[in-house]
Amino acid sequence: MPAGGGSPCTVVRNGSGKTMFLYLDNAATSHPKPPSVYEAVRHALEEVGATPGRAAHRRAREALGMVSQARSKVARLLGIANPESVVFTKNATESINVVLKGWLRYGDRVVISGMEHNSVVRPLGRLSTSGIAIETVRCSPRGQIDLDDLYDRLKPPPRLVVLVHASNVNGAMQPVEEASKMCSDEGVPLLLDAAQTAGIQPTYADGWNLGMLACSGHKALLGPPGIGILYVRSDLDVLPLIEGGTGSRSEEIVQPEYCPDRYESGTPNLPGIAGLTAGVEFILKQGMDSIREHELALGSILEQELANLPGVIVYGPGVRGTGSVSFTIDGLNPSDAGTLLDAGFDIAVRTGLHCAPLAHQTLGTYPEGTVRVSPGYSTSGEDIEYFLHSLRSLLRKCRK
Ligand SMILES: Cc1ncc(COP(=O)(O)O)c(C=O)c1O
């Protein structure tokens, strides 16, 4: 049974002959959201409307209460003791940019893994032109970092280590606990990119002594697009990327130095924050463990069944952290496979490099990339069967 109960994604042809899509692109953004998320967004926009933290009227106070509630719920899910350390951003990309541009200085060295997303690689690419050196930790062909190589690169200590919790390409999960212990022992802050795992994998920002954590609100946290999360440990002086009105200390011309105001300038995205709260409440109610087990089970079935198909190569992870599965087909370009699945079978998958060329170099799938199937909380076993059935049929047609 899907963790969400029922299967809103199942492909059915209704009386009018209309087809519903089978959405298997949850690693990009989760869909559908729980109904309570849509309702929370509507309520915030239509019935609350006000900007939180700016005025004393009733609606503004209600809005502020909603933001405080969101911080508490997110903090609980991510293992952050102080909810005021939860910062709302636009997305994981913005959170990562704040850290990289606000923490690294001319002459610094930063260590990343060979599985990082372009949201890490591209800002670093620019920073490398202003005196910041980037080193990449070796990874296995399945995407797991080599802890010995990380250990060696911590001497002398770099200014920062960046690690993706689980790959958006093949779901490979990194040994965060071990990596963060190594970093802590050398006094090096670790930035964890939890874009793919927040909402399905237990995360202990305080317990792991993370320096910073960045994640999306619109993926497994089930919120709407336009909302992301940033956490910065209180002893780290990360400069803000944007300064402006915060509704606090308005008499001062300098940005407040405390969290979350330091990093939250301008009108906040209240509908996004409200939707995120509803997403987190859904996860807490369903149980993150059951959602994770469901998605990982679907990922494992996909991996096994795809590996049995002639001409299909699966790029499985050493340790699976999400349900995402990447594969290629002999003689068929990934993007053509995606187009055929879309046009012929009403199935949405992602193809190509998934904004992670570095990960594809590690997995040996650069430059063409892969076909990626990413189930979500509401994907059912029947959905996966339909996908496999469709792929078999596509392969038969292509080989004729
Ligand atoms: C591993 C990883 N990091 C960062 C991002 C960027 O997330 P966002 O779209 O929320 O900026 C993504 C998005 O797919 C991702 O998969």
Side-chain angles (χ1 to χ4, degrees):
M1 270 298 287
S7 175
C9 279
T10 307
V11 172
V12 280
R13 288 188 189 271
N14 63 23
S16 66
K18 262 192 163 176
T19 305
M20 279 173 69
F21 238 48
L22 172 53
Y23 182 83
L24 292 173
D25 194 14
N26 287 276
T29 197
S30 52
H31 178 80
K33 313 292 181 189
S36 55
V37 172
Y38 302 120
E39 174 50 25
V41 171
R42 187 206 62 76
H43 170 78
L45 207 52
E46 206 170 284
E47 292 176 34
V48 183
T51 297
R54 302 298 196 272
H57 58 74
R58 190 168 349 145
R59 291 289 187 80
R61 279 187 276 125
E62 183 180 352
L64 187 61
M66 289 163 69
V67 176
S68 303
Q69 197 197 16
R71 283 195 220 286
S72 299
K73 296 228 150 106
V74 168
R76 182 173 154 203
L77 206 70
L78 299 179
I80 298 167
N82 178 9
E84 296 294 297
S85 303
V86 172
V87 172
F88 291 119
T89 59
K90 193 166 74 201
N91 46 39
T93 303
E94 184 181 321
S95 304
I96 292 166
N97 269 266
V98 171
V99 173
L100 298 179
K101 292 170 182 168
W103 179 246
L104 298 172
R105 306 273 178 278
Y106 180 87
D108 282 344
R109 195 164 62 90
V110 55
V111 173
I112 66 172
S113 86
M115 291 299 283
E116 298 309 310
H117 189 270
N118 267 348
S119 55
V120 170
V121 178
R122 284 187 173 170
L124 283 179
R126 201 175 110 201
L127 289 169
S128 71
T129 63
S130 41
I132 285 160
I134 303 153
E135 286 181 20
T136 308
V137 174
R138 239 187 348 255
C139 283
S140 74
R142 289 176 155 252
Q144 252 70 38
I145 56 161
D146 179 337
L147 283 169
D148 291 335
D149 192 33
L150 173 64
Y151 182 82
D152 291 344
R153 290 180 193 278
L154 291 173
K155 290 177 176 68
R159 173 88 166 154
L160 182 72
V161 171
V162 188
L163 190 57
V164 62
H165 196 178
S167 160
N168 61 315
V169 176
N170 72 342
M173 190 158 77
Q174 303 298 351
V176 182
E177 214 172 333
E178 290 90 330
S180 89
K181 166 104 182 42
M182 276 183 190
C183 291
S184 292
D185 287 351
E186 298 303 322
V188 178
L190 173 69
L191 163 60
L192 186 68
D193 172 1
Q196 291 293 325
T197 51
I200 55 167
Q201 285 292 345
T203 304
Y204 307 100
D206 290 341
W208 291 340
N209 194 31
L210 296 180
M212 307 88 168
L213 180 140
C215 63
S216 317
H218 61 96
K219 297 184 195 274
L221 285 174
L222 306 177
I227 192 77
I229 294 155
L230 167 68
Y231 159 81
V232 177
R233 207 173 62 208
S234 60
D235 61 311
L236 301 174
D237 186 22
V238 176
L239 297 177
L241 200 57
I242 291 175
E243 284 123 351
T246 56
S248 55
R249 306 218 175 150
S250 295
E251 70 285 5
E252 294 176 4
I253 64 153
V254 290
Q255 187 78 1
E257 290 206 341
Y258 53 85
C259 245
D261 301 34
R262 190 176 200 192
Y263 307 107
E264 284 184 359
S265 290
T267 303
N269 175 4
L270 186 69
I273 291 170
L276 174 63
T277 305
V280 172
E281 279 168 353
F282 177 88
I283 294 164
L284 294 172
K285 192 158 159 232
Q286 293 284 323
M288 188 167 64
D289 293 349
S290 85
I291 296 176
R292 179 179 62 256
E293 277 161 27
H294 174 70
E295 292 188 23
L296 294 188
L298 295 182
S300 299
I301 293 170
L302 274 166
E303 207 182 314
Q304 281 163 25
E305 294 293 323
L306 286 167
N308 287 333
L309 298 179
V312 172
I313 304 168
V314 184
Y315 302 89
V319 178
R320 175 167 289 292
T322 72
S324 295
V325 176
S326 255
F327 65 95
T328 53
I329 302 167
D330 278 351
L332 187 61
N333 187 286
S335 71
D336 292 342
T339 305
L340 292 169
L341 283 166
D342 182 7
F345 301 92
D346 302 305
I347 295 174
V349 294
R350 186 156 174 199
T351 60
L353 293 174
H354 321 109
C355 298
L358 203 57
H360 285 279
Q361 281 165 11
T362 299
L363 300 173
T365 48
Y366 186 84
E368 287 203 329
T370 56
V371 179
R372 181 187 70 189
V373 185
S374 52
Y377 78 95
S378 68
T379 309
S380 68
E382 295 80 55
D383 292 334
I384 297 302
E385 265 170 41
Y386 175 76
F387 166 75
L388 290 165
H389 171 81
S390 305
L391 188 71
R392 283 188 203 104
S393 153
L394 188 152
L395 292 176
R396 274 195 302 274
K397 278 189 197 146
C398 288
R399 290 200 174 115
K400 267 188 192 159

